Amino acid sequence: MRPSGRQPAQMRAVTLERNIAKKAEGSCLVAFGDTRVLCTASVETSVPSWLRGKGQGWVTAEYGMLPRATGSRTRREASAGKQTGRTQEIQRLIGRSLRAVVDLEALGEVQVTLDCDVLEADGGTRTAAITGAYVALADAIRWMEERKLTRGVALKDNVAAISCGIYRGTPVLDLDYLEDVEAETDANFVMTGAGKFVEIQGTAEGAPFDRAELDALMGLAEQGIGELALMQKAALGG
């Protein structure tokens, strides 16, 4: 039995609430159970120096956790003077995931920055951030299209992410914190709406896993991301 009482292939309740930040070109408050992440998309009429004059745009991300997103207060990284390796790794993952579904030439010479701020953490913050950031990005690109700032169809597909793991010998979908700290295997999957993989991160936290268990986790991820893709489309009105 999972701590939450869920079935192995059952996700937590997921919500995607748009237009949370009125001043941002796109925004989404995403919740995977008790994990909540505020994602905002900002359109900037400039690109990194190494892209100037190349006729394409850029999509990047920043990620952070509020001090009381966790059970005890976590010191702000700004007060420490540097980001942790975990933060850098997650924000690079978010950026890669979103760029996988964007035509950067059609985007034009602009940069879209996704800020993903974790309000509450109960496992799966990176996967929730990717899923919500896509919705914020889609709204930002719509905003650009309405003002004729794009050079064609910039968004090629949707993208979402989910965690899976081996918990007490059973492959399960969408790990919460209690499962994550005890899981023998922990994996994160990023996939497009067309069912193509963008990234797979998998680690044996306890016992090594075999091919059959990996296949089981991939099957759960495909199911979960298929459900998330439908939720994204519904949230965006189509």
Side-chain angles (χ1 to χ4, degrees):
M1 178 65 69
R2 302 177 71 176
S4 62
R6 289 181 286 145
Q7 295 299 310
Q10 183 181 359
M11 290 194 298
R12 292 173 285 180
V14 176
T15 59
L16 297 161
E17 188 176 354
R18 295 164 59 208
N19 304 318
I20 291 295
K22 294 182 179 179
K23 295 180 180 178
E25 285 75 41
S27 63
C28 177
L29 177 61
V30 55
F32 279 37
D34 288 334
T35 288
R36 297 193 303 142
V37 185
L38 175 61
C39 306
T40 57
S42 302
V43 177
E44 304 168 86
T45 55
S46 62
V47 293
S49 58
W50 49 273
L51 273 179
R52 288 174 192 160
K54 295 188 177 180
Q56 71 174 66
W58 191 244
V59 176
T60 189
E62 293 189 10
Y63 168 96
M65 295 180 66
L66 296 186
R68 280 315 304 264
T70 51
S72 58
R73 186 180 187 276
T74 303
R75 185 183 181 191
R76 293 182 190 272
E77 292 183 349
S79 66
K82 64 178 181 178
Q83 292 180 315
T84 65
R86 176 183 180 274
T87 294
Q88 294 180 44
E89 183 255 325
I90 290 175
Q91 61 192 26
R92 289 169 183 161
L93 169 65
I94 298 168
R96 286 196 303 272
S97 300
L98 297 174
R99 287 193 296 273
V101 295
V102 175
D103 184 328
L104 296 176
E105 291 187 0
L107 190 64
E109 290 195 36
V110 301
Q111 175 170 286
V112 184
T113 300
L114 281 302
D115 288 291
C116 301
D117 294 293
V118 179
L119 308 182
E120 291 189 66
D122 185 35
T125 61
R126 72 185 67 194
T127 55
I130 291 167
T131 303
Y134 167 78
V135 174
L137 174 64
D139 270 336
I141 289 177
R142 283 182 179 177
W143 182 90
M144 292 174 60
E145 290 172 341
E146 289 169 359
R147 289 156 181 78
K148 303 188 185 303
L149 297 176
T150 57
R151 299 173 179 173
V153 178
L155 205 54
K156 300 182 290 186
D157 200 350
N158 58 314
V159 65
I162 197 72
S163 64
C164 300
I166 308 294
Y167 175 74
R168 297 186 178 178
T170 301
V172 296
L173 178 65
D174 189 21
L175 302 174
D176 57 29
Y177 176 76
L178 290 176
E179 294 170 328
D180 188 37
V181 295
E182 193 179 327
E184 298 100 79
T185 299
D186 181 15
N188 298 300
F189 295 84
V190 185
M191 296 176 66
T192 67
K196 295 183 177 181
F197 291 97
V198 177
E199 188 144 348
I200 300 172
Q201 301 176 331
T203 305
E205 303 285 358
F209 56 94
D210 59 27
R211 178 60 182 269
E213 289 172 319
L214 176 59
D215 288 343
L217 295 178
M218 291 178 67
L220 286 171
E222 288 174 326
Q223 173 202 314
I225 290 176
E227 294 177 22
L228 291 174
L230 292 176
M231 293 179 199
Q232 289 173 325
K233 290 177 181 177
L236 290 163

